[in-house]
Amino acid sequence: MQLTRRHLLSAAAALAAVPAWAQDAKPLRVLVGFPPGGGTDAIARLLADKLKDVLGRTVVVDNRPGAGGQLAAQTLKSAPADGSTVFITHDHTISILPQVVKNPGFDSHADFVPVGGFASFVNCFAVSGGTPAKSFDEYVQWVKGKNQGKSAVGIPAPASTPEFLVKLLGQRYQLDLVAAPYRGSGPLIADMLGNQIPAGVGSVPDFIENHRAGKLRVVAVLGTQRQAQLPDVPTFDELGVKGFEDLPYYGFFAPKGTPEAFAQQFSAALAKVVQMPEVNQQLTSMGLTVDAMTPAQLGAREGAYTAAWKRIISDSGFKPQ
């Protein structure tokens, strides 16, 4: 068919009406602050696979592991604010790191904008297969008896929620627990599976598959309610350990200045993806509570969580390093 001048003008007008990120052929990059093999990476790849269809563009997962997500956050800060880069993260990088690191290289509120949340989760305490304890109380007695009250507990990042939990548990049970930081949950779990470290603290999504396989054992979870995927595992609240009731969140952030229209489009696409039965089921099986949040809702959740942890960190006497 021969194109007339009117056809060409109509096509040009239609293209002009399409947002810049939809015209751009480059993929949507999803930054992940942890290495492949961990819970956050698995979640990112699950969502990216579905987002590409809903958004109608290529979506690429870009792992930038290191310093508890700090390197990925710095990468996000320097990325163009054009709807081409987002960062999938949980509470640690956005809410905790800026409070415990003197110069993290980013400011969550000044440098980023929320573009959609999708879940909450709880952290948990797990023991390796080579540790004889079958419950948290048995773990405490094992440390007191075999190791004279001293033991290492792996954590996926330094100065993180798990580190504060290790410190609190040591004080609560009069144990000399040393938090051993790893570069993400993947290396931590590898050492636990190899019985190189007797226990670890991380998110339920990090541990749940190996717990089900009997390769390690989750012996306690945070929060005030038992997890549907771990009905036989008690909460620390049940065990008398208070102060960790606020649940961490998962969400996506973009560079400051990213168009509001992109944030709304992305949030709507994310909500559609997590409502897909197969995605919802997989996220739930990983130990997440699926909870789609608009950019505004994620921003409010992040603000409240940050304020709660500001009090916890201050009360602990921890000084930014």
Side-chain angles (χ1 to χ4, degrees), residues 146-192:
K146 183 178 179 60
N147 298 321
Q148 293 77 50
K150 183 173 184 177
S151 189
V153 180
I155 58 173
S160 57
T161 303
E163 179 168 341
F164 288 106
L165 177 60
V166 171
K167 181 177 180 179
L168 179 65
L169 292 174
Q171 295 171 346
R172 171 74 170 73
Y173 291 94
Q174 298 182 323
L175 301 175
D176 184 8
L177 298 181
V178 179
Y182 282 77
R183 289 171 58 89
S185 59
L188 164 60
I189 292 170
D191 271 8
M192 289 183 69

mmCIF file of all heavy atoms in Angstrom, residues 146-192:
data_model
loop_
_atom_site.group_PDB
_atom_site.id
_atom_site.type_symbol
_atom_site.label_atom_id
_atom_site.label_comp_id
_atom_site.label_asym_id
_atom_site.label_seq_id
_atom_site.Cartn_x
_atom_site.Cartn_y
_atom_site.Cartn_z
ATOM 1 N N LYS A 146 28.397 -27.248 74.146
ATOM 2 C CA LYS A 146 29.518 -27.675 73.317
ATOM 3 C C LYS A 146 30.530 -26.560 73.075
ATOM 4 O O LYS A 146 31.737 -26.780 73.027
ATOM 5 C CB LYS A 146 28.999 -28.189 71.969
ATOM 6 C CG LYS A 146 30.092 -28.729 71.042
ATOM 7 C CD LYS A 146 29.505 -29.260 69.753
ATOM 8 C CE LYS A 146 30.589 -29.773 68.812
ATOM 9 N NZ LYS A 146 31.371 -30.877 69.398
ATOM 10 N N ASN A 147 30.040 -25.320 72.934
ATOM 11 C CA ASN A 147 30.920 -24.226 72.538
ATOM 12 C C ASN A 147 31.119 -23.171 73.619
ATOM 13 O O ASN A 147 31.523 -22.043 73.337
ATOM 14 C CB ASN A 147 30.363 -23.559 71.266
ATOM 15 C CG ASN A 147 30.328 -24.529 70.103
ATOM 16 O OD1 ASN A 147 31.226 -25.324 69.929
ATOM 17 N ND2 ASN A 147 29.271 -24.456 69.316
ATOM 18 N N GLN A 148 30.816 -23.533 74.860
ATOM 19 C CA GLN A 148 31.005 -22.622 75.989
ATOM 20 C C GLN A 148 30.324 -21.264 75.765
ATOM 21 O O GLN A 148 30.828 -20.211 76.156
ATOM 22 C CB GLN A 148 32.493 -22.404 76.300
ATOM 23 C CG GLN A 148 33.233 -23.624 76.815
ATOM 24 C CD GLN A 148 33.576 -24.607 75.696
ATOM 25 O OE1 GLN A 148 34.129 -24.220 74.665
ATOM 26 N NE2 GLN A 148 33.245 -25.861 75.911
ATOM 27 N N GLY A 149 29.197 -21.302 75.093
ATOM 28 C CA GLY A 149 28.425 -20.081 74.906
ATOM 29 C C GLY A 149 28.845 -19.210 73.753
ATOM 30 O O GLY A 149 28.308 -18.116 73.581
ATOM 31 N N LYS A 150 29.811 -19.669 72.941
ATOM 32 C CA LYS A 150 30.283 -18.843 71.827
ATOM 33 C C LYS A 150 30.051 -19.562 70.505
ATOM 34 O O LYS A 150 30.319 -20.758 70.376
ATOM 35 C CB LYS A 150 31.767 -18.533 71.983
ATOM 36 C CG LYS A 150 32.315 -17.610 70.892
ATOM 37 C CD LYS A 150 33.746 -17.186 71.179
ATOM 38 C CE LYS A 150 34.234 -16.197 70.122
ATOM 39 N NZ LYS A 150 35.609 -15.702 70.413
ATOM 40 N N SER A 151 29.532 -18.829 69.523
ATOM 41 C CA SER A 151 29.304 -19.426 68.218
ATOM 42 C C SER A 151 29.130 -18.334 67.166
ATOM 43 O O SER A 151 28.734 -17.209 67.481
ATOM 44 C CB SER A 151 28.069 -20.328 68.238
ATOM 45 O OG SER A 151 27.967 -21.059 67.030
ATOM 46 N N ALA A 152 29.416 -18.678 65.919
ATOM 47 C CA ALA A 152 29.232 -17.750 64.805
ATOM 48 C C ALA A 152 27.860 -17.970 64.174
ATOM 49 O O ALA A 152 27.387 -19.108 64.072
ATOM 50 C CB ALA A 152 30.326 -17.953 63.762
ATOM 51 N N VAL A 153 27.240 -16.891 63.761
ATOM 52 C CA VAL A 153 25.950 -16.940 63.063
ATOM 53 C C VAL A 153 26.111 -16.147 61.763
ATOM 54 O O VAL A 153 26.434 -14.964 61.793
ATOM 55 C CB VAL A 153 24.817 -16.333 63.911
ATOM 56 C CG1 VAL A 153 23.499 -16.405 63.156
ATOM 57 C CG2 VAL A 153 24.707 -17.045 65.251
ATOM 58 N N GLY A 154 25.891 -16.799 60.646
ATOM 59 C CA GLY A 154 26.041 -16.141 59.358
ATOM 60 C C GLY A 154 24.904 -15.170 59.080
ATOM 61 O O GLY A 154 23.749 -15.423 59.425
ATOM 62 N N ILE A 155 25.235 -14.048 58.450
ATOM 63 C CA ILE A 155 24.239 -13.056 58.032
ATOM 64 C C ILE A 155 24.552 -12.659 56.595
ATOM 65 O O ILE A 155 25.702 -12.693 56.170
ATOM 66 C CB ILE A 155 24.237 -11.812 58.946
ATOM 67 C CG1 ILE A 155 25.625 -11.165 58.964
ATOM 68 C CG2 ILE A 155 23.796 -12.186 60.352
ATOM 69 C CD1 ILE A 155 25.679 -9.847 59.702
ATOM 70 N N PRO A 156 23.538 -12.288 55.803
ATOM 71 C CA PRO A 156 23.785 -12.000 54.384
ATOM 72 C C PRO A 156 24.463 -10.678 54.107
ATOM 73 O O PRO A 156 24.926 -10.446 52.989
ATOM 74 C CB PRO A 156 22.371 -12.032 53.778
ATOM 75 C CG PRO A 156 21.456 -11.772 54.902
ATOM 76 C CD PRO A 156 22.104 -12.331 56.125
ATOM 77 N N ALA A 157 24.561 -9.795 55.109
ATOM 78 C CA ALA A 157 25.219 -8.500 54.903
ATOM 79 C C ALA A 157 25.550 -7.897 56.260
ATOM 80 O O ALA A 157 24.821 -8.108 57.237
ATOM 81 C CB ALA A 157 24.318 -7.555 54.122
ATOM 82 N N PRO A 158 26.642 -7.133 56.353
ATOM 83 C CA PRO A 158 26.976 -6.493 57.627
ATOM 84 C C PRO A 158 26.008 -5.360 57.949
ATOM 85 O O PRO A 158 25.373 -4.788 57.062
ATOM 86 C CB PRO A 158 28.394 -5.952 57.370
ATOM 87 C CG PRO A 158 28.456 -5.747 55.886
ATOM 88 C CD PRO A 158 27.620 -6.841 55.296
ATOM 89 N N ALA A 159 25.889 -5.043 59.233
ATOM 90 C CA ALA A 159 25.046 -3.948 59.714
ATOM 91 C C ALA A 159 23.630 -4.047 59.159
ATOM 92 O O ALA A 159 23.034 -3.056 58.736
ATOM 93 C CB ALA A 159 25.673 -2.599 59.355
ATOM 94 N N SER A 160 23.097 -5.258 59.169
ATOM 95 C CA SER A 160 21.773 -5.525 58.616
ATOM 96 C C SER A 160 20.809 -5.908 59.734
ATOM 97 O O SER A 160 21.206 -6.107 60.888
ATOM 98 C CB SER A 160 21.860 -6.672 57.602
ATOM 99 O OG SER A 160 22.400 -7.835 58.214
ATOM 100 N N THR A 161 19.530 -6.035 59.390
ATOM 101 C CA THR A 161 18.545 -6.517 60.355
ATOM 102 C C THR A 161 18.991 -7.831 61.001
ATOM 103 O O THR A 161 18.896 -7.978 62.231
ATOM 104 C CB THR A 161 17.172 -6.690 59.682
ATOM 105 O OG1 THR A 161 16.769 -5.456 59.099
ATOM 106 C CG2 THR A 161 16.126 -7.145 60.677
ATOM 107 N N PRO A 162 19.480 -8.820 60.222
ATOM 108 C CA PRO A 162 19.972 -10.052 60.849
ATOM 109 C C PRO A 162 21.087 -9.814 61.867
ATOM 110 O O PRO A 162 21.142 -10.496 62.897
ATOM 111 C CB PRO A 162 20.467 -10.874 59.659
ATOM 112 C CG PRO A 162 19.569 -10.462 58.545
ATOM 113 C CD PRO A 162 19.399 -8.977 58.749
ATOM 114 N N GLU A 163 21.972 -8.841 61.617
ATOM 115 C CA GLU A 163 23.050 -8.591 62.581
ATOM 116 C C GLU A 163 22.483 -8.075 63.901
ATOM 117 O O GLU A 163 22.926 -8.480 64.979
ATOM 118 C CB GLU A 163 24.060 -7.591 62.033
ATOM 119 C CG GLU A 163 25.175 -7.293 63.029
ATOM 120 C CD GLU A 163 26.341 -6.530 62.439
ATOM 121 O OE1 GLU A 163 26.494 -6.515 61.206
ATOM 122 O OE2 GLU A 163 27.132 -5.966 63.227
ATOM 123 N N PHE A 164 21.494 -7.178 63.824
ATOM 124 C CA PHE A 164 20.887 -6.677 65.053
ATOM 125 C C PHE A 164 20.149 -7.792 65.793
ATOM 126 O O PHE A 164 20.129 -7.828 67.019
ATOM 127 C CB PHE A 164 19.950 -5.509 64.745
ATOM 128 C CG PHE A 164 20.690 -4.258 64.356
ATOM 129 C CD1 PHE A 164 20.723 -3.833 63.047
ATOM 130 C CD2 PHE A 164 21.373 -3.509 65.309
ATOM 131 C CE1 PHE A 164 21.413 -2.690 62.679
ATOM 132 C CE2 PHE A 164 22.074 -2.361 64.965
ATOM 133 C CZ PHE A 164 22.095 -1.946 63.638
ATOM 134 N N LEU A 165 19.548 -8.713 65.043
ATOM 135 C CA LEU A 165 18.875 -9.845 65.676
ATOM 136 C C LEU A 165 19.884 -10.731 66.401
ATOM 137 O O LEU A 165 19.639 -11.161 67.537
ATOM 138 C CB LEU A 165 18.108 -10.666 64.647
ATOM 139 C CG LEU A 165 17.413 -11.917 65.186
ATOM 140 C CD1 LEU A 165 16.394 -11.559 66.261
ATOM 141 C CD2 LEU A 165 16.749 -12.704 64.068
ATOM 142 N N VAL A 166 21.024 -11.003 65.761
ATOM 143 C CA VAL A 166 22.063 -11.821 66.395
ATOM 144 C C VAL A 166 22.519 -11.173 67.698
ATOM 145 O O VAL A 166 22.676 -11.837 68.732
ATOM 146 C CB VAL A 166 23.248 -12.017 65.431
ATOM 147 C CG1 VAL A 166 24.426 -12.681 66.156
ATOM 148 C CG2 VAL A 166 22.832 -12.882 64.234
ATOM 149 N N LYS A 167 22.725 -9.858 67.667
ATOM 150 C CA LYS A 167 23.162 -9.141 68.865
ATOM 151 C C LYS A 167 22.113 -9.240 69.962
ATOM 152 O O LYS A 167 22.439 -9.514 71.130
ATOM 153 C CB LYS A 167 23.419 -7.670 68.524
ATOM 154 C CG LYS A 167 23.897 -6.834 69.708
ATOM 155 C CD LYS A 167 24.211 -5.404 69.280
ATOM 156 C CE LYS A 167 24.698 -4.579 70.468
ATOM 157 N NZ LYS A 167 25.043 -3.189 70.079
ATOM 158 N N LEU A 168 20.839 -9.050 69.617
ATOM 159 C CA LEU A 168 19.764 -9.116 70.604
ATOM 160 C C LEU A 168 19.635 -10.509 71.193
ATOM 161 O O LEU A 168 19.464 -10.670 72.409
ATOM 162 C CB LEU A 168 18.436 -8.706 69.956
ATOM 163 C CG LEU A 168 17.206 -8.754 70.862
ATOM 164 C CD1 LEU A 168 17.332 -7.733 71.983
ATOM 165 C CD2 LEU A 168 15.932 -8.506 70.070
ATOM 166 N N LEU A 169 19.754 -11.541 70.350
ATOM 167 C CA LEU A 169 19.654 -12.918 70.845
ATOM 168 C C LEU A 169 20.809 -13.246 71.783
ATOM 169 O O LEU A 169 20.623 -13.945 72.790
ATOM 170 C CB LEU A 169 19.628 -13.897 69.671
ATOM 171 C CG LEU A 169 18.375 -13.851 68.792
ATOM 172 C CD1 LEU A 169 18.539 -14.773 67.587
ATOM 173 C CD2 LEU A 169 17.137 -14.240 69.595
ATOM 174 N N GLY A 170 21.995 -12.752 71.455
ATOM 175 C CA GLY A 170 23.132 -12.974 72.336
ATOM 176 C C GLY A 170 22.891 -12.375 73.715
ATOM 177 O O GLY A 170 23.181 -13.008 74.753
ATOM 178 N N GLN A 171 22.340 -11.161 73.744
ATOM 179 C CA GLN A 171 22.049 -10.508 75.017
ATOM 180 C C GLN A 171 20.928 -11.235 75.763
ATOM 181 O O GLN A 171 21.014 -11.453 76.972
ATOM 182 C CB GLN A 171 21.653 -9.049 74.761
ATOM 183 C CG GLN A 171 22.770 -8.189 74.191
ATOM 184 C CD GLN A 171 22.277 -6.816 73.749
ATOM 185 O OE1 GLN A 171 21.073 -6.580 73.621
ATOM 186 N NE2 GLN A 171 23.204 -5.910 73.499
ATOM 187 N N ARG A 172 19.902 -11.629 75.024
ATOM 188 C CA ARG A 172 18.719 -12.253 75.626
ATOM 189 C C ARG A 172 19.052 -13.596 76.269
ATOM 190 O O ARG A 172 18.548 -13.935 77.347
ATOM 191 C CB ARG A 172 17.645 -12.434 74.541
ATOM 192 C CG ARG A 172 16.432 -13.257 74.922
ATOM 193 C CD ARG A 172 15.511 -12.497 75.848
ATOM 194 N NE ARG A 172 14.242 -13.188 76.023
ATOM 195 C CZ ARG A 172 14.039 -14.287 76.728
ATOM 196 N NH1 ARG A 172 15.058 -14.856 77.362
ATOM 197 N NH2 ARG A 172 12.832 -14.817 76.830
ATOM 198 N N TYR A 173 19.922 -14.383 75.613
ATOM 199 C CA TYR A 173 20.218 -15.734 76.082
ATOM 200 C C TYR A 173 21.616 -15.863 76.702
ATOM 201 O O TYR A 173 22.055 -16.972 76.980
ATOM 202 C CB TYR A 173 20.058 -16.732 74.936
ATOM 203 C CG TYR A 173 18.618 -16.898 74.507
ATOM 204 C CD1 TYR A 173 18.102 -16.150 73.457
ATOM 205 C CD2 TYR A 173 17.768 -17.773 75.175
ATOM 206 C CE1 TYR A 173 16.771 -16.280 73.063
ATOM 207 C CE2 TYR A 173 16.439 -17.914 74.794
ATOM 208 C CZ TYR A 173 15.948 -17.155 73.742
ATOM 209 O OH TYR A 173 14.634 -17.286 73.366
ATOM 210 N N GLN A 174 22.281 -14.739 76.909
ATOM 211 C CA GLN A 174 23.625 -14.709 77.507
ATOM 212 C C GLN A 174 24.587 -15.612 76.743
ATOM 213 O O GLN A 174 25.299 -16.441 77.314
ATOM 214 C CB GLN A 174 23.558 -15.114 78.987
ATOM 215 C CG GLN A 174 22.719 -14.158 79.825
ATOM 216 C CD GLN A 174 22.688 -14.527 81.304
ATOM 217 O OE1 GLN A 174 22.666 -15.705 81.658
ATOM 218 N NE2 GLN A 174 22.720 -13.527 82.166
ATOM 219 N N LEU A 175 24.613 -15.395 75.425
ATOM 220 C CA LEU A 175 25.512 -16.122 74.540
ATOM 221 C C LEU A 175 26.476 -15.141 73.880
ATOM 222 O O LEU A 175 26.148 -13.968 73.681
ATOM 223 C CB LEU A 175 24.720 -16.846 73.438
ATOM 224 C CG LEU A 175 23.679 -17.875 73.877
ATOM 225 C CD1 LEU A 175 22.916 -18.376 72.657
ATOM 226 C CD2 LEU A 175 24.335 -19.031 74.613
ATOM 227 N N ASP A 176 27.643 -15.611 73.535
ATOM 228 C CA ASP A 176 28.620 -14.806 72.795
ATOM 229 C C ASP A 176 28.465 -15.151 71.313
ATOM 230 O O ASP A 176 29.252 -15.903 70.740
ATOM 231 C CB ASP A 176 30.029 -15.109 73.291
ATOM 232 C CG ASP A 176 31.080 -14.224 72.627
ATOM 233 O OD1 ASP A 176 30.694 -13.282 71.891
ATOM 234 O OD2 ASP A 176 32.285 -14.485 72.818
ATOM 235 N N LEU A 177 27.407 -14.594 70.690
ATOM 236 C CA LEU A 177 27.139 -14.869 69.286
ATOM 237 C C LEU A 177 27.847 -13.825 68.414
ATOM 238 O O LEU A 177 27.679 -12.614 68.627
ATOM 239 C CB LEU A 177 25.635 -14.849 69.015
ATOM 240 C CG LEU A 177 24.798 -15.896 69.747
ATOM 241 C CD1 LEU A 177 23.327 -15.751 69.359
ATOM 242 C CD2 LEU A 177 25.298 -17.303 69.436
ATOM 243 N N VAL A 178 28.595 -14.308 67.457
ATOM 244 C CA VAL A 178 29.348 -13.421 66.560
ATOM 245 C C VAL A 178 28.693 -13.451 65.186
ATOM 246 O O VAL A 178 28.579 -14.509 64.560
ATOM 247 C CB VAL A 178 30.820 -13.870 66.448
ATOM 248 C CG1 VAL A 178 31.575 -12.961 65.492
ATOM 249 C CG2 VAL A 178 31.471 -13.873 67.825
ATOM 250 N N ALA A 179 28.240 -12.298 64.705
ATOM 251 C CA ALA A 179 27.632 -12.213 63.385
ATOM 252 C C ALA A 179 28.731 -12.249 62.321
ATOM 253 O O ALA A 179 29.633 -11.417 62.326
ATOM 254 C CB ALA A 179 26.807 -10.936 63.259
ATOM 255 N N ALA A 180 28.642 -13.229 61.417
ATOM 256 C CA ALA A 180 29.633 -13.388 60.350
ATOM 257 C C ALA A 180 29.007 -12.929 59.033
ATOM 258 O O ALA A 180 28.148 -13.628 58.485
ATOM 259 C CB ALA A 180 30.082 -14.845 60.252
ATOM 260 N N PRO A 181 29.391 -11.760 58.500
ATOM 261 C CA PRO A 181 28.748 -11.238 57.290
ATOM 262 C C PRO A 181 29.224 -11.930 56.012
ATOM 263 O O PRO A 181 30.403 -12.258 55.865
ATOM 264 C CB PRO A 181 29.150 -9.761 57.293
ATOM 265 C CG PRO A 181 30.442 -9.720 58.042
ATOM 266 C CD PRO A 181 30.352 -10.802 59.076
ATOM 267 N N TYR A 182 28.278 -12.155 55.099
ATOM 268 C CA TYR A 182 28.555 -12.739 53.785
ATOM 269 C C TYR A 182 28.166 -11.734 52.705
ATOM 270 O O TYR A 182 27.500 -10.728 52.978
ATOM 271 C CB TYR A 182 27.759 -14.030 53.593
ATOM 272 C CG TYR A 182 28.328 -15.227 54.308
ATOM 273 C CD1 TYR A 182 28.150 -15.384 55.683
ATOM 274 C CD2 TYR A 182 29.028 -16.210 53.621
ATOM 275 C CE1 TYR A 182 28.663 -16.486 56.351
ATOM 276 C CE2 TYR A 182 29.534 -17.323 54.279
ATOM 277 C CZ TYR A 182 29.361 -17.459 55.639
ATOM 278 O OH TYR A 182 29.867 -18.553 56.292
ATOM 279 N N ARG A 183 28.537 -12.040 51.477
ATOM 280 C CA ARG A 183 28.143 -11.221 50.331
ATOM 281 C C ARG A 183 26.841 -11.773 49.745
ATOM 282 O O ARG A 183 26.802 -12.294 48.637
ATOM 283 C CB ARG A 183 29.254 -11.214 49.279
ATOM 284 C CG ARG A 183 30.487 -10.424 49.682
ATOM 285 C CD ARG A 183 31.620 -10.630 48.700
ATOM 286 N NE ARG A 183 31.251 -10.247 47.346
ATOM 287 C CZ ARG A 183 31.400 -9.013 46.838
ATOM 288 N NH1 ARG A 183 31.891 -8.049 47.605
ATOM 289 N NH2 ARG A 183 31.071 -8.753 45.591
ATOM 290 N N GLY A 184 25.789 -11.705 50.559
ATOM 291 C CA GLY A 184 24.499 -12.194 50.113
ATOM 292 C C GLY A 184 24.155 -13.541 50.716
ATOM 293 O O GLY A 184 24.997 -14.231 51.317
ATOM 294 N N SER A 185 22.899 -13.941 50.546
ATOM 295 C CA SER A 185 22.422 -15.184 51.136
ATOM 296 C C SER A 185 22.950 -16.422 50.419
ATOM 297 O O SER A 185 23.073 -17.488 51.031
ATOM 298 C CB SER A 185 20.892 -15.210 51.138
ATOM 299 O OG SER A 185 20.387 -15.090 49.819
ATOM 300 N N GLY A 186 23.263 -16.310 49.111
ATOM 301 C CA GLY A 186 23.762 -17.465 48.370
ATOM 302 C C GLY A 186 25.012 -18.072 48.987
ATOM 303 O O GLY A 186 25.054 -19.276 49.296
ATOM 304 N N PRO A 187 26.082 -17.269 49.184
ATOM 305 C CA PRO A 187 27.295 -17.802 49.822
ATOM 306 C C PRO A 187 27.056 -18.281 51.248
ATOM 307 O O PRO A 187 27.664 -19.261 51.693
ATOM 308 C CB PRO A 187 28.258 -16.603 49.792
ATOM 309 C CG PRO A 187 27.773 -15.750 48.667
ATOM 310 C CD PRO A 187 26.281 -15.905 48.676
ATOM 311 N N LEU A 188 26.173 -17.590 51.978
ATOM 312 C CA LEU A 188 25.859 -18.011 53.349
ATOM 313 C C LEU A 188 25.252 -19.406 53.350
ATOM 314 O O LEU A 188 25.675 -20.290 54.104
ATOM 315 C CB LEU A 188 24.901 -17.012 53.995
ATOM 316 C CG LEU A 188 24.168 -17.483 55.265
ATOM 317 C CD1 LEU A 188 25.154 -17.843 56.360
ATOM 318 C CD2 LEU A 188 23.183 -16.419 55.742
ATOM 319 N N ILE A 189 24.258 -19.607 52.492
ATOM 320 C CA ILE A 189 23.594 -20.908 52.448
ATOM 321 C C ILE A 189 24.543 -21.996 51.991
ATOM 322 O O ILE A 189 24.514 -23.127 52.502
ATOM 323 C CB ILE A 189 22.349 -20.827 51.542
ATOM 324 C CG1 ILE A 189 21.299 -19.927 52.201
ATOM 325 C CG2 ILE A 189 21.761 -22.213 51.288
ATOM 326 C CD1 ILE A 189 20.135 -19.575 51.314
ATOM 327 N N ALA A 190 25.428 -21.672 51.045
ATOM 328 C CA ALA A 190 26.417 -22.658 50.585
ATOM 329 C C ALA A 190 27.274 -23.136 51.754
ATOM 330 O O ALA A 190 27.540 -24.342 51.894
ATOM 331 C CB ALA A 190 27.281 -22.061 49.486
ATOM 332 N N ASP A 191 27.708 -22.214 52.613
ATOM 333 C CA ASP A 191 28.513 -22.602 53.778
ATOM 334 C C ASP A 191 27.693 -23.378 54.798
ATOM 335 O O ASP A 191 28.202 -24.285 55.458
ATOM 336 C CB ASP A 191 29.127 -21.359 54.426
ATOM 337 C CG ASP A 191 30.482 -21.006 53.833
ATOM 338 O OD1 ASP A 191 30.877 -21.643 52.819
ATOM 339 O OD2 ASP A 191 31.150 -20.090 54.359
ATOM 340 N N MET A 192 26.417 -23.031 54.938
ATOM 341 C CA MET A 192 25.575 -23.787 55.861
ATOM 342 C C MET A 192 25.354 -25.204 55.347
ATOM 343 O O MET A 192 25.392 -26.158 56.130
ATOM 344 C CB MET A 192 24.235 -23.065 56.059
ATOM 345 C CG MET A 192 24.337 -21.770 56.861
ATOM 346 S SD MET A 192 22.726 -21.001 57.156
ATOM 347 C CE MET A 192 21.984 -22.188 58.296
#
